[in-house]
């Protein structure tokens, strides 16, 4: 089922940070869109099926940032 999930990521300070997060999360299975608001750190992920918290955490870790909410 198509799902939209919003998380908050700390530590992103520039457009390259945003690109890294988008790339890692975008590589998760079934992800169709990743929208990042740099100012707030809010990241909205649209996917064909629900993602687990662990998948998101690992992807954000991989990019070098942290999920705070
Ligand atoms: Mo955005 Mo630069 O990190 O280290 S501030 S890539």
């Amino acid at each position: 089922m198509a799902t939209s999930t919003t998380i908050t990521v700390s530590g992103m300070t520039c457009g390259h940070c945003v690109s890294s997060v988008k790339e890692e999360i975008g590589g998760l299975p079934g992800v169709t869109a990743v929208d990042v608001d740099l100012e707030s750190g809010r990241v909205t992920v649209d996917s064909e099926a629900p993602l687990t918290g662990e998948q998101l955490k690992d992807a954000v870790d991989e990019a070098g940032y942290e999920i705070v909410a």
Side-chain angles (χ1 to χ4, degrees):
M1 188 181 86
T3 308
S4 183
T5 308
T6 300
I7 56 176
T8 301
V9 173
S10 70
M12 295 185 295
T13 55
C14 76
H16 296 115
C17 304
V18 170
S19 298
S20 300
V21 169
K22 279 189 169 180
E23 189 175 320
E24 288 299 333
I25 293 178
L28 293 173
V31 172
T32 53
V34 185
D35 187 72
V36 178
D37 182 69
L38 178 57
E39 282 292 308
S40 63
R42 300 272 276 182
V43 178
T44 303
V45 184
D46 295 337
S47 55
E48 289 165 359
L51 297 166
T52 66
E54 181 156 15
Q55 285 177 302
L56 289 167
K57 181 186 181 299
D58 287 349
V60 173
D61 275 354
E62 197 62 38
Y65 306 96
E66 194 180 353
I67 296 177
V68 291

